[in-house]
Amino acid sequence: MPNVLILGASGYVGLALCQSLVSSGNHTVWGTARSAEKAKLLLQNEIAPITDADITKPETLSTIIAENNIDIVVDTTSAYEQAAQILQGVVKAATARRDTLAKENLVGPKLGFVYCSGTWVYGSPSERITDLTPVGSASLSKGKPATAVAWRPAHEQAVLAARDVLDVAIMRPSAIYGRASWIFSTWWGGILKAKKDKNCTDTITIPADSTARTGTVHVDDVASGFHAAIDRINGGLGSWPVFDLVTETIGIQDMTEGVKAALGVDAKVEYTGTHGNAFLEALSLVCRNEATRARTVLGWGPNRKAFVLNLPVYVRAWEAAQ
Ligand SMILES: *[C@@H]1O[C@H](CO)[C@@H](O)[C@H](O)[C@H]1NC(C)=O
Ligand SMILES: *[C@@H]1O[C@H](CO)[C@@H](O)[C@H](O)[C@H]1NC(C)=O
């Protein structure tokens, strides 16, 4: 059973992935936890917690990898500034392992590294794209990365450049829903407020562009996509180990009407734009891709489809999580 270390194990994607790996019976899972409470949550899920560790210190992360005989590291932290330091720690561990073996004239398997990126790196492309379309290129990209993730194409390149010592995969999920659906609170929050505030006939304002068309994917399907990449990481991903995970694209107006119906609200809605806020801007992108390579290369297929049809289930789960 490969030993997998999940950075961000108690997070939204991290926990779903841990559960998928543990329940397959094919992986032993370690996870980083930032508090005693989170460590307990991991233990209850049969995950070995790593507590009190500053994983942004390359020395610390490298030691954790070596001491626990980790084979594959998955970065689901969504760390922005520290993403490079995390990669450095993983490369350090991989290099040390390779060099130790080399002293005895041995080679071993490479350490695996899976990085959680996202479809925001495409921006709002001018035409239909796939995960083979270059991102961050002034001449060949079809869109400009969202400001919030302007740094990310360069980080993806750094991950790919580390392939001399690592087997890597880069996963790009679109906006993730299911259970807490936290990312959609920005769009759905005003509608819930209108529900609570029964007498309110005011127009609901949503801080988004009315043209927004977001890619969506359920959190469990994100987990199965990562899981499939982990199972194929030692050479089974081909020469371009970069995969979009998108199930559907949904226009914001369809989504809003669905959420209003689910919450029994029928006030008018106004889309007030993204106010120069980088996060709101990223949410309002127009998604023009689909995940065919994840299907053909990873054998991935989402189980949760028909987002709008099943929206009442997701809205109730989200409401309960507020
Ligand atoms: C676990 O590994 C076995 C053997 O490789 C495979 O047949 C099985 O599908 C895996 N289980 C899951 C849930 O991935
Ligand atoms: C709603 O309106 C009714 C009738 O005008 C009033 O009696 C009630 O107090 C109002 N409720 C709230 C929560 O404002």
Side-chain angles (χ1 to χ4, degrees):
M1 287 210 276
N3 293 340
V4 184
L5 169 63
I6 312 291
L7 309 176
S10 61
Y12 186 43
V13 169
L15 191 59
L17 175 58
C18 286
Q19 287 165 334
S20 173
L21 295 173
V22 169
S23 67
S24 75
N26 290 339
H27 302 277
T28 309
V29 184
W30 278 253
T32 54
R34 276 193 288 194
S35 66
E37 200 184 325
K38 296 280 158 93
K40 207 167 150 189
L41 173 72
L42 296 186
L43 277 170
Q44 286 168 357
N45 281 281
E46 303 170 13
I47 300 152
I50 309 264
T51 38
D52 296 327
D54 182 358
I55 55 164
T56 65
K57 288 212 170 75
E59 187 62 49
T60 306
L61 179 54
S62 163
T63 304
I64 291 167
I65 293 168
E67 283 180 351
N68 296 290
N69 301 309
I70 299 298
D71 302 303
I72 299 160
V73 180
V74 186
D75 181 1
T76 67
T77 57
S78 326
Y80 277 35
E81 284 89 22
Q82 301 91 355
Q85 285 144 264
I86 291 173
L87 176 61
Q88 233 182 315
V90 176
V91 167
K92 190 177 166 69
T95 310
R97 182 185 291 186
R98 181 195 60 186
D99 293 350
T100 304
L101 287 170
K103 281 194 196 116
E104 301 176 66
N105 290 317
L106 298 171
V107 293
K110 286 180 184 172
L111 186 66
F113 180 62
V114 181
Y115 176 65
C116 181
S117 180
T119 53
W120 290 353
V121 294
Y122 298 114
S124 293
S126 55
E127 55 190 90
R128 208 164 72 107
I129 45 132
T130 72
D131 40 28
L132 297 171
T133 310
V135 300
S137 157
S139 42
L140 293 179
S141 296
K142 306 294 180 195
K144 197 167 152 285
T147 311
V149 296
W151 55 275
R152 198 168 248 171
H155 184 63
E156 288 187 348
Q157 290 292 313
V159 172
L160 292 165
R163 279 185 286 185
D164 56 332
V165 286
L166 300 176
D167 281 329
V168 307
I170 293 173
M171 308 305 289
R172 292 187 187 138
S174 53
I176 307 172
Y177 68 90
R179 296 195 267 282
S181 296
W182 67 269
I183 203 161
F184 289 115
S185 297
T186 326
W187 288 359
W188 301 355
I191 307 172
L192 181 58
K193 188 167 173 298
K195 174 188 170 181
K196 288 183 176 151
D197 203 358
K198 287 200 183 62
N199 288 4
C200 183
T201 54
D202 295 352
T203 300
I204 299 166
T205 58
I206 298 184
D209 295 331
S210 60
T211 51
R213 184 165 193 88
T214 190
T216 56
V217 59
H218 191 279
V219 63
D220 289 335
D221 291 324
V222 173
S224 71
F226 275 65
H227 189 156
I230 289 168
D231 283 344
R232 289 162 179 76
I233 198 152
N234 293 120
L237 300 177
S239 63
W240 189 245
V242 180
F243 301 95
D244 290 347
L245 297 175
V246 183
T247 303
E248 294 172 272
T249 65
I250 312 285
I252 189 169
Q253 314 204 19
D254 287 345
M255 189 186 293
T256 300
E257 290 312 312
V259 175
K260 279 169 60 183
L263 293 174
V265 168
D266 65 1
K268 281 205 173 53
V269 166
E270 189 189 343
Y271 299 96
T272 56
T274 57
H275 312 289
N277 175 298
F279 176 72
L280 297 178
E281 177 211 312
L283 274 176
S284 271
L285 294 174
V286 175
C287 175
R288 287 201 172 88
N289 57 341
E290 52 188 5
T292 41
R293 277 187 68 255
R295 282 209 281 280
T296 54
V297 181
L298 304 178
W300 179 74
N303 288 330
R304 307 300 183 85
K305 300 169 193 166
F307 174 84
V308 172
L309 179 68
N310 295 306
L311 200 46
V313 175
Y314 307 127
V315 171
R316 277 198 296 273
W318 166 78
E319 187 181 5
Q322 296 311 297

